[in-house]
Amino acid sequence: MDAPGDPEGPRPPGGDGSPGSVREIPRRLSREQIFVLISAASINFSSMMCYSILGPFFPTEAEKKGVSNTVTGMIFGCYALFDLLASLVFGKYLVHIGAKFMFVAGLLVSGGVTILFGVLDQVPEGPVFIAMCFLVRITDAVSFSAAITASSSILAKAFPNNVATVLGCLEIFSGLGLVLGPPLGGFLYQSFGYEVPFIFLGCIVLLMVPLNMCILPNYESDPGKHSFWKLITLPKVALISFVITSLSSCFGFLDPTLSLFVLEKFNLPAGYVGLVFLGLALSYAISSPLVGLLSDKVPRLRKWLLVFGSLITAGCYMLLGPAPVLHIKSQLWLLVLILVINGISVGMSSIPTFLEVLSCAYENGFEEGLSTMGLVSGLFGAVWSVGDFIGPTLGGFLYEKLGFEWAATLQGLWALTSGLVLGLFYLLEHSRRRRRSKLQNILSIEEERTALLPGEM
């Protein structure tokens, strides 16, 4: 096994540790790797469709049931809160439960509860409707958390030398889910009513269950001795987690607010509101594979992709409204352009994080294997979910009290803070390493002089 401090990321078990072996990637994928890619693509696509389908029409439907914007934001946000809790549990016990079983069971439960969400319009308005929305949304969060946590760990196991590239390429399917979810949901809602979007999507998810039971390989590993607490208390991991949280908060903020803002500001019909989300999802899907490839080929750039991605995201949210202090008139073309740029910036910040955290874990003594990959995958899901809870919940409240323009600006300030703090940490780390390197050079020169003195005398 190679040294845990390998800056290039995880190496395959049994490798000889030479640079050539680390960089050597098979020209053709094995059958097992192809099946893993198909399984991961299916969960990325279906999870993002289930997550994004609510955006264009659920806030309006909830208003008909007497639900306030704040409570609607909490319904969106509770998904992330329970995704957080479930990610920590599933990441810790991935090896005990079994990655394949966790993946397939998560898909099965999620398909069922997605269909159940489609019959909620038959529930009486008021507290009963709100309670049922929370119950179904929470169950969906837990089930998809199981599948996504297992998927990320299996991918890292199957592709140890090019994790970021593979994760980036699979974000195409996440982007497709985000792209197709809102317009498809808006179209089906407008054409057939509330029930059809959920029944249609739930059936698609259920059809993926037997497929993945047949093709997904079963990886086994021994339980690890390290915990989430040890991982999250590493300074670099903690700061990267802060960045991930700020990004997911910005993403989640748009769910309960953007559709209402567009309807109110530009008077678009519900079917067209979903198209506004298209620029964000499409640019994210296209840029993610390129960012992943760059992260694997030039590892030293990963940290700066993280930093500059956060700073660009901050600028996007300040221009999304735009911020009242900028005195720029809100226009539909400007909104779509900013969403396109935001999709690229989120890809810059989110794709390199998994490998950055995994490399940091190995540098600090975590054992290489499925157990550590499960911890990192669970941690990523957990901290993403923290922001995904805060974004819609706080976003719905701020939208109600301050309006979309100021609410988006405050989200941008959070991304700005996290990007600047992480950038400062990386600069200090670089400075410490340079000083340490200079000190080591001086000491080695002094040792050489000391060794030469007896010979000269």
Side-chain angles (χ1 to χ4, degrees):
M1 182 174 292
D2 300 283
D6 179 13
E8 301 295 327
R11 298 183 180 183
D16 60 10
S18 65
S21 67
V22 175
R23 287 298 183 187
E24 186 179 350
I25 299 173
R27 290 176 180 268
R28 299 176 64 180
L29 296 175
S30 67
R31 184 181 178 186
E32 183 178 283
Q33 287 176 320
I34 292 172
F35 286 162
V36 168
L37 287 175
I38 293 172
S39 296
S42 71
I43 187 63
N44 281 24
F45 179 74
S46 59
S47 66
M48 286 298 100
M49 278 199 74
C50 287
Y51 181 82
S52 65
I53 199 171
L54 296 178
F57 61 88
F58 183 75
T60 307
E61 195 70 27
E63 280 186 342
K64 294 178 185 177
K65 293 283 189 178
V67 182
S68 67
N69 289 335
T70 302
V71 175
T72 300
M74 291 176 68
I75 292 171
F76 277 100
C78 76
Y79 183 101
L81 177 63
F82 283 86
D83 190 13
L84 155 69
L85 300 174
S87 294
L88 293 174
V89 174
F90 291 136
K92 175 66 176 175
Y93 296 103
L94 173 73
V95 175
H96 301 81
I97 298 171
K100 181 175 181 177
F101 177 81
M102 187 185 291
F103 185 100
V104 174
L107 268 182
L108 178 63
V109 175
S110 181
V113 296
T114 300
I115 293 173
L116 285 177
F117 213 109
V119 300
L120 290 183
D121 63 327
Q122 307 299 323
V123 176
E125 65 180 42
V128 177
F129 175 78
I130 293 171
M132 290 303 298
C133 284
F134 275 112
L135 180 61
V136 174
R137 191 79 167 150
I138 288 167
T139 308
D140 197 24
V142 173
S143 58
F144 261 126
S145 173
I148 291 292
T149 301
S151 173
S152 299
S153 303
I154 291 170
L155 280 170
K157 183 74 173 177
F159 298 91
N161 291 333
N162 47 338
V163 178
T165 301
V166 172
L167 290 176
C169 290
L170 286 169
E171 287 305 303
I172 292 174
F173 296 92
S174 299
L176 282 174
L178 286 171
V179 166
L180 295 176
L184 181 63
F187 170 75
L188 292 175
Y189 171 74
Q190 205 168 26
S191 303
F192 304 104
Y194 177 82
E195 298 91 348
V196 174
F198 297 102
I199 295 173
F200 175 76
L201 187 55
C203 290
I204 290 178
V205 174
L206 289 177
L207 287 174
M208 292 178 181
V209 173
L211 171 68
N212 284 287
M213 288 178 69
C214 295
I215 68 173
L216 188 65
N218 192 21
Y219 291 114
E220 295 182 358
S221 180
D222 296 325
K225 64 179 183 296
H226 296 293
S227 65
F228 275 113
W229 180 248
K230 181 175 180 181
L231 184 62
I232 194 65
T233 51
L234 298 174
K236 185 190 290 188
V237 173
L239 289 175
I240 293 173
S241 299
F242 182 49
V243 170
I244 297 170
T245 302
S246 69
L247 292 173
S248 61
S249 176
C250 288
F251 240 38
F253 162 79
L254 299 177
D255 289 326
T257 60
L258 185 60
S259 61
L260 295 175
F261 174 70
V262 170
L263 285 169
E264 186 180 300
K265 197 79 174 179
F266 306 110
N267 298 315
L268 293 180
Y272 288 94
V273 171
L275 296 176
V276 175
F277 288 84
L278 188 65
L280 173 65
L282 199 57
S283 61
Y284 175 73
I286 293 172
S287 63
S288 292
L290 301 176
V291 173
L293 183 63
L294 191 61
S295 297
D296 278 328
K297 296 296 183 183
V298 193
R300 65 179 180 274
L301 286 182
R302 287 199 298 254
K303 54 188 176 184
W304 301 117
L305 288 171
L306 272 167
V307 172
F308 287 107
S310 296
L311 298 180
I312 295 170
T313 298
C316 287
Y317 275 80
M318 291 177 187
L319 291 170
L320 201 58
V325 293
L326 299 177
H327 303 292
I328 300 173
K329 184 181 178 181
S330 181
Q331 299 181 69
L332 185 58
W333 70 265
L334 178 62
L335 179 71
V336 173
L337 176 62
I338 293 301
L339 288 174
V340 169
I341 298 172
N342 187 31
I344 297 171
S345 66
V346 169
M348 289 171 61
S349 295
S350 61
I351 297 302
T353 52
F354 187 91
L355 202 51
E356 273 288 280
V357 174
L358 192 61
S359 298
C360 184
Y362 290 156
E363 289 170 7
N364 286 273
F366 283 69
E367 63 273 9
E368 296 186 21
L370 195 61
S371 176
T372 298
M373 293 172 188
L375 285 178
V376 173
S377 178
L379 177 67
F380 182 88
V383 296
W384 183 274
S385 298
V386 171
D388 224 5
F389 171 73
I390 295 172
T393 307
L394 186 60
F397 174 77
L398 292 175
Y399 179 86
E400 210 169 73
K401 301 298 181 183
L402 303 176
F404 181 83
E405 293 85 350
W406 277 114
T409 301
L410 292 175
Q411 287 289 338
L413 289 175
W414 186 359
L416 178 65
T417 302
S418 66
L420 290 175
V421 170
L422 184 63
L424 180 61
F425 172 84
Y426 278 133
L427 289 173
L428 291 174
E429 183 184 55
H430 179 69
S431 177
R432 284 197 302 268
R433 285 180 176 176
R434 286 189 64 181
R435 286 200 302 268
R436 192 181 303 124
S437 177
K438 287 181 179 179
L439 182 60
Q440 288 175 348
N441 288 337
I442 293 171
L443 290 174
S444 63
I445 291 171
E446 290 296 326
E447 288 175 359
E448 288 176 2
R449 286 178 178 175
T450 304
L452 290 172
L453 279 176
E456 291 175 356
M457 293 174 64

